[in-house]
């Protein structure tokens, strides 16, 4: 099938944000909506495909979410504890996690429209579930949700993209793969973006469009740009998702229409990632299962034998996107996650089962150190000393606080700190001794997920701002990872996909109205 020579709305990029924008445009009245993506069809979905499908949203509690999920019956609901997550909660998390730097207009829209965006997706066939496996623990006969993140899509990112593709088909949206954009064109009189050059089947052609939406992802798969913007050594970071998010459209928009840069260009989402995963691309079959997020249940030790983060400083939702960066800054860019028999059963099978991870085991700490040394540990003695000091500190805390109870679903205060023993680097919550065999370690590195730097937009419409005029570039919109100014330093887990839906919905509506306005103008001439 050959791409058309013209359309009402052209979306460049086919991840969650791009599909959301396209469906919104079609719903708003655009008659001919087209998505192009440079990846082949068997790589459809961009980075969205590689996610766990988690979406952070404001809600009023369990009863507010039950109508949009398909995995909770009345019996399960009766033993589920899920507190409301308010606008104020989301705002506090954005302000705290993003260093107070998030654009207040963008973050307000994200927060205020998160709930309706989720329900809009559900009306369009996106299947949602409560995330029991990732966001709750079964404690004392009840499922206790934690961390403000409660929803996921069925079958994670794979299911999300499949549902998006079906929604696009129902709305008559055409999708063309292996079709990269190569140039943005402007009308010489109005300055409006009115066409995009593309390459398809080795032929360069042009699609004329009344509105163009950029949704092609960040530069996380481009080692040159990672090194340039994230810093030295980032060209060696593992790529968690698609190899096709190489920043082409970011550079193209700056080159062709002087698009203004915005956001944290030296920042990114980088998580704890299996060190035995492919280095330059995600695996479509394994997908998000290379994530290794069980560190709050144990400790992380670098190749020199030292701990380097407070594994219990906050819920995993608020630390996993920055701890990958911390690992990459360690000697050799690796670390070992370590547990004993107390917490091994609490590890999620999708991340730590035998089929998806190489396990390093031992019946004593000394044996574990010996086996880790075969996998990159440089200082066995220090590794053993670190665990011994950790265990002594935890035992002292327990002796001083005999009534304190370990609970992974709350910040339980079980730590390494007490009146008589304090570690220089604490573990602030969920600290248990690691001294009960058998022992388990997993070798991890940092996996870059998406970059935070993007383009400046009008938050109301997502229209791209010109760096030369400081005004909107007519006919050009930007969503998803390409939208700059929302996340700084870190992000509240699950808010990336929500952003794609919220601003994709806005962009699609604005683009469709512009396209319909163009038709009205021509009709009057």
């Amino acid at each position: 099938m050959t791409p058309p020579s013209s359309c009402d709305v052209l979306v460049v990029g086919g991840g969650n944000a791009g599909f959301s924008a396209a469906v919104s445009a079609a719903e708003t009245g655009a008659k001919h909506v087209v998505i192009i993506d440079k990846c082949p069809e068997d790589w459809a979905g961009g980075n969205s495909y590689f996610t766990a499908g988690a979406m952070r949203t404001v809600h009023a509690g369990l009863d507010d979410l039950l109508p949009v999920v398909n995995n909770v019956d009345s019996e399960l609901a009766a033993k589920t504890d899920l507190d409301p997550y308010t606008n104020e909660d989301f705002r506090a998390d954005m302000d705290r996690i993003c260093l107070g730097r998030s654009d207040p207009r963008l973050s307000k829209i994200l927060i205020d429209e998160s709930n309706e965006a989720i329900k809009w997706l559900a009306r369009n066939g996106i299947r949602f579930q409560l995330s029991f496996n990732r966001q709750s623990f079964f404690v004392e006969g009840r499922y206790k949700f934690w961390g403000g993140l409660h929803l996921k899509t069925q079958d994670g990112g794979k299911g999300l993209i499949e549902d998006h593709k079906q929604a696009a088909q129902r709305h008559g949206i055409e999708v063309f793969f292996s079709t990269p954009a190569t140039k943005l064109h402007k009308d010489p009189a109005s300055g409006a973006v009115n066409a995009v050059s593309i390459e398809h089947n080795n032929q360069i052609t042009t699609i004329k469009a009344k509105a163009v939406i950029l949704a092609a992802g960040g530069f996380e798969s481009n080692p040159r740009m990672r090194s340039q913007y994230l810093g030295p050594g980032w060209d060696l970071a593992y790529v968690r998702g698609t190899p096709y998010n190489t920043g082409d459209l970011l550079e193209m928009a700056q080159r062709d229409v002087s698009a203004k840069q915005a956001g944290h260009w030296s920042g990114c989402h980088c998580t704890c990632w299996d060190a035995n995963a492919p280095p330059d691309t995600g695996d479509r079959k394994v997908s998000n299962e290379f994530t290794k997020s069980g560190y709050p249940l144990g400790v992380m030790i670098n190749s020199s034998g030292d701990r380097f983060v407070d594994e219990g400083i906050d819920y995993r939702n608020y630390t996993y996107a920055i701890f990958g960066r911390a690992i990459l800054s360690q000697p050799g860019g690796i670390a070992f996650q370590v547990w004993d028999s107390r917490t091994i059963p609490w590890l999620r099978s999708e991340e730590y089962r035998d089929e998806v991870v190489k396990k390093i085991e031992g019946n004593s700490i000394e044996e574990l150190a010996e086996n880790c040394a075969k996998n990159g540990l440089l200082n066995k003695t220090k590794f053993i000393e670190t665990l011994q000091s950790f265990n002594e500190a935890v035992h002292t805390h327990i002796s001083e606080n005999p009534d304190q109870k370990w609970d992974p679903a709350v910040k339980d205060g079980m730590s390494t700190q007490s009146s008589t023993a304090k570690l220089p680097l604490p573990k602030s919550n969920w600290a248990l001794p690691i001294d009960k065999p058998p022992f388990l370690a997993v070798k991890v590195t940092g996996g870059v997920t998406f970059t935070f730097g993007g383009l400046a937009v009008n938050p109301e419409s997502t229209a791209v701002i010109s760096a030369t005029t400081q005004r909107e570039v007519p006919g050009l919109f930007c969503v998803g990872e390409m939208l700059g100014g929302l996340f700084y330093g870190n992000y509240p887990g699950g808010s990336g996909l929500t952003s794609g839906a919220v601003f994709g919905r806005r962009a699609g509506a604005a683009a469709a109205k512009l396209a319909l306005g163009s038709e009205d103008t021509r009709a009057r001439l």
Side-chain angles (χ1 to χ4, degrees):
M1 190 166 61
T2 302
S5 60
S6 65
C7 63
D8 287 341
V9 176
L10 177 62
V11 180
V12 186
N16 171 62
F19 274 106
S20 295
V23 168
S24 176
E27 284 187 340
T28 307
K31 297 181 179 64
H32 189 189
V33 181
V34 173
I35 297 174
I36 61 171
D37 201 316
K38 76 172 184 178
C39 71
E41 188 168 3
D42 56 3
W43 278 89
N47 263 356
S48 303
Y49 181 93
F50 291 90
T51 69
M55 291 197 185
R56 182 173 294 266
T57 179
V58 167
H59 62 81
L62 184 61
D63 289 341
D64 190 18
L65 297 182
L66 286 178
V68 301
V69 300
N70 64 12
N71 66 333
V72 183
D73 57 22
S74 58
E75 181 180 351
L76 185 55
K79 54 183 179 182
T80 297
D81 295 333
L82 193 155
D83 294 333
Y85 187 67
T86 66
N87 287 58
E88 292 74 21
D89 292 331
F90 203 160
R91 165 54 63 194
D93 283 339
M94 284 293 294
D95 290 346
R96 176 173 61 91
I97 298 300
C98 296
L99 312 176
R101 297 290 299 273
S102 178
D103 184 302
R105 298 169 300 165
L106 288 172
S107 57
K108 185 177 190 303
I109 291 169
L110 170 66
I111 293 164
D112 291 349
E113 298 183 11
S114 59
N115 186 278
E116 177 52 33
I118 294 295
K119 293 172 180 176
W120 171 74
L121 288 173
R123 291 195 297 272
N124 276 289
I126 307 301
R127 298 162 296 162
F128 285 100
Q129 298 181 331
L130 289 189
S131 187
F132 287 98
N133 62 325
R134 296 183 63 85
Q135 294 301 145
S136 75
F137 287 108
F138 192 62
V139 180
E140 297 180 341
R142 301 193 63 79
Y143 289 98
K144 296 184 178 182
F145 278 81
W146 47 271
L149 181 57
H150 307 125
L151 285 180
K152 72 177 185 72
T153 52
Q154 183 172 327
D155 299 325
K158 298 177 184 180
L160 171 63
I161 294 304
E162 183 58 36
D163 291 348
H164 268 311
K165 290 166 69 175
Q166 292 183 17
Q169 186 175 26
R170 288 193 298 270
H171 283 88
I173 296 164
E174 293 183 278
V175 184
F176 297 90
F177 295 100
S178 300
T179 307
T182 59
K183 183 177 177 61
L184 302 175
H185 297 273
K186 294 196 299 182
D187 180 274
S190 67
V193 172
N194 61 2
V196 177
S197 290
I198 64 168
E199 182 176 344
H200 185 79
N201 290 338
N202 297 318
Q203 298 293 317
I204 299 294
T205 185
T206 299
I207 301 177
K208 295 180 180 178
K210 298 165 187 172
V212 175
I213 301 173
L214 305 181
F219 57 87
E220 56 272 8
S221 302
N222 186 325
R224 172 186 61 81
M225 292 184 72
R226 291 201 308 269
S227 182
Q228 178 181 354
Y229 290 108
L230 304 183
W234 277 92
D235 49 334
L236 301 177
Y238 280 43
V239 175
R240 177 182 170 188
T242 177
Y244 293 95
N245 281 13
T246 51
D248 306 2
L249 264 290
L250 289 168
E251 295 189 318
M252 196 181 305
Q254 294 171 64
R255 180 196 69 197
D256 296 340
V257 301
S258 299
K260 182 180 180 179
Q261 298 181 53
H264 189 186
W265 277 76
S266 62
C268 69
H269 174 310
C270 186
T271 194
C272 303
W273 197 245
D274 194 321
N276 294 298
D280 300 319
T281 177
D283 184 301
R284 297 278 289 186
K285 182 179 179 180
V286 178
S287 187
N288 190 59
E289 294 177 356
F290 278 136
T291 300
K292 297 293 170 272
S293 56
Y295 56 84
L297 301 171
V299 296
M300 287 201 290
I301 299 176
N302 66 18
S303 62
S304 299
D306 295 307
R307 288 176 58 242
F308 54 95
V309 295
D310 180 345
E311 302 89 347
I313 194 170
D314 207 338
Y315 292 114
R316 171 184 55 79
N317 296 341
Y318 305 117
T319 59
Y320 73 97
I322 57 173
F323 277 3
R325 178 185 285 264
I327 294 171
L328 287 175
S329 69
Q330 303 308 303
I334 63 163
F336 297 88
Q337 297 179 344
V338 181
W339 309 269
D340 72 358
S341 61
R342 292 181 179 87
T343 52
I344 290 172
W346 291 85
L347 297 173
R348 294 199 305 273
S349 63
E350 65 265 30
E351 294 182 5
Y352 291 98
R353 69 183 189 277
D354 291 344
E355 295 85 352
V356 296
V357 70
K358 179 181 178 181
K359 294 181 176 179
I360 305 169
E361 298 172 313
N363 288 313
S364 66
I365 290 176
E366 291 76 14
E367 184 182 3
L368 184 69
E370 187 68 36
N371 290 334
C372 285
K374 299 173 184 176
N375 290 273
L377 177 65
L378 302 178
N379 192 329
K380 294 183 292 184
T381 301
K382 184 61 177 177
F383 180 94
I384 295 167
E385 290 174 354
T386 293
L387 284 174
Q388 289 174 338
S389 298
F390 178 85
N391 290 337
E392 291 170 5
V394 175
H395 278 299
T396 302
H397 176 90
I398 292 173
S399 296
E400 282 194 5
N401 302 274
D403 296 327
Q404 204 164 18
K405 188 176 181 180
W406 186 80
D407 187 343
V410 298
K411 291 182 181 179
D412 61 6
M414 293 284 288
S415 79
T416 56
Q417 312 304 90
S418 61
S419 63
T420 58
K422 289 182 174 66
L423 293 182
L425 176 61
K427 182 176 182 183
S428 300
N429 292 285
W430 314 301
L432 288 175
I434 301 175
D435 58 7
K436 184 178 179 182
F439 300 92
L440 171 66
V442 168
K443 183 179 178 181
V444 293
T445 185
V448 61
T449 307
F450 69 92
T451 46
F452 294 158
L455 304 180
V457 302
N458 175 346
E460 296 300 320
S461 63
T462 78
V464 172
I465 303 300
S466 166
T468 53
T469 68
Q470 304 301 317
R471 296 193 297 269
E472 295 180 12
V473 178
L476 187 64
F477 305 86
C478 172
V479 294
E481 295 176 10
M482 293 187 67
L483 184 152
L486 193 56
F487 304 128
Y488 284 80
N490 194 0
Y491 90 133
S495 52
L497 287 178
T498 305
S499 166
V502 167
F503 292 105
R505 191 181 182 201
R506 277 184 170 246
K513 290 173 183 175
L514 179 63
L516 293 170
S518 298
E519 289 182 359
D520 292 341
T521 299
R522 283 198 302 273
R524 290 194 296 269
L525 295 177

